[in-house]
Amino acid sequence: MSVFADLVAHLADLLDPVFHGSATAAAIVLFTACVRLLVHPLSRASARGQKARARLSPQVAELRKKHGKNPERFQKAVLELHREEKVSPLSGCLPSLFQLPAFFLLYHLFSSSGSGSGVGGSGGLLDHTLGSAPLGGRWADALAHGGLFGAQGLVYLVLFVIVAAVATFNYGRTKRQLAANPPVQNGDQQVPGMDTITKIMPLMSFMTLFTVGFVPLAAALYVVTSTTWSAVERAALYRDMPNGAPLASVAG
């Protein structure tokens, strides 16, 4: 953790002539973007796997019609299809899972308030500010110091606007995906609870608004940067697919 914190601190020193008091906040955004860039090859691998599986969806639909009443035979037939086409059933999932440790580490780094110069405490990352808003503070603290439109409150309003714009973009994309890919059927019966899931799933993008409102500002900057990067990245990687990224890769 201290190694990553030191990297952010050095990056902030380099950015100080341009951003001055907000150099650490700028360093958090840039450092997060750099980490996302480093794991971009995994995202590309995930996209290739998802596209390969999507290409087989018509054949899978035919197999479902043929073996819909025999789940065991259906699963066996799907595995045989993947083997014949040299497509791994997990090809779109594993790269995404490999990214999780890096993202968890960054979130912990920018949300920890422990002592020491590496994270929080005296001289730590959370001791700095973005404008007049402390990186270790939360939205509730900003409301207590000037209210919604105070100097600190305006910093959070900008973040909320960015998150709302990204969430709206993801919401529209998810709705289109659900319309193009109806809930999986089990024979002639819809999978129990799937209707509720399809109603809730498009709204999950807006959960980031609550995250930004409750975590320290440093972590909020990480969340906003990572979420925005994900939206742009998926729009680019899945631009040649009729309905964007498959539903399995929408979250996160």
Side-chain angles (χ1 to χ4, degrees):
M1 292 294 294
S2 60
V3 172
F4 286 101
D6 288 342
L7 287 174
V8 176
H10 289 311
L11 188 57
D13 291 338
L14 294 176
L15 296 174
D16 185 71
V18 177
F19 294 97
H20 305 293
S22 298
T24 300
I28 289 173
V29 173
L30 183 57
F31 184 76
T32 302
C34 288
V35 172
R36 293 304 306 250
L37 185 61
L38 286 175
V39 300
H40 179 69
L42 294 179
S43 298
R44 293 181 66 87
S46 179
R48 287 194 297 269
Q50 295 284 10
K51 290 177 182 179
R53 290 195 298 164
R55 190 172 63 249
L56 299 180
S57 59
Q59 293 96 309
V60 173
E62 289 297 324
L63 291 175
R64 180 175 290 113
K65 290 181 181 179
K66 184 178 181 180
H67 305 296
K69 295 182 180 181
N70 190 330
E72 184 175 346
R73 290 193 61 185
F74 169 67
Q75 292 296 334
K76 183 178 179 180
V78 170
L79 290 175
E80 290 177 355
L81 174 63
H82 285 150
R83 185 162 49 248
E84 291 173 0
E85 298 294 333
K86 298 181 179 179
V87 174
S88 170
L90 300 177
S91 56
C93 303
L94 291 180
S96 296
L97 293 177
F98 290 152
Q99 299 178 41
L100 293 180
F103 301 154
F104 175 78
L105 180 64
L106 288 185
Y107 178 81
H108 182 68
L109 173 66
F110 298 136
S111 62
S112 173
S113 59
S115 61
S117 60
V119 183
S122 177
L125 296 178
L126 304 190
D127 289 340
H128 298 272
T129 63
L130 173 58
S132 59
L135 295 180
R138 291 172 168 79
W139 188 39
D141 302 321
L143 293 178
H145 293 82
L148 184 63
F149 298 103
Q152 295 186 28
L154 288 175
V155 172
Y156 285 89
L157 282 181
V158 171
L159 295 182
F160 285 139
V161 168
I162 295 173
V163 170
V166 173
T168 301
F169 172 79
N170 288 335
Y171 173 83
R173 185 183 60 186
T174 305
K175 291 284 286 186
R176 291 192 297 272
Q177 292 163 5
L178 288 172
N181 301 278
V184 176
Q185 302 290 317
N186 184 9
D188 295 328
Q189 301 295 322
Q190 182 171 310
V191 175
M194 184 59 68
D195 184 60
T196 301
I197 293 175
T198 56
K199 291 179 180 178
I200 295 176
M201 187 178 293
L203 300 175
M204 293 299 292
S205 298
F206 293 94
M207 292 300 294
T208 309
L209 288 167
F210 293 95
T211 302
V212 172
F214 287 99
V215 300
L217 179 56
L221 288 174
Y222 158 73
V223 170
V224 172
T225 304
S226 187
T227 302
T228 304
W229 181 285
S230 293
V232 175
E233 184 178 63
R234 286 180 181 144
L237 291 177
Y238 298 96
R239 63 185 181 279
D240 55 343
M241 294 183 68
N243 299 289
L247 290 174
S249 65
V250 170

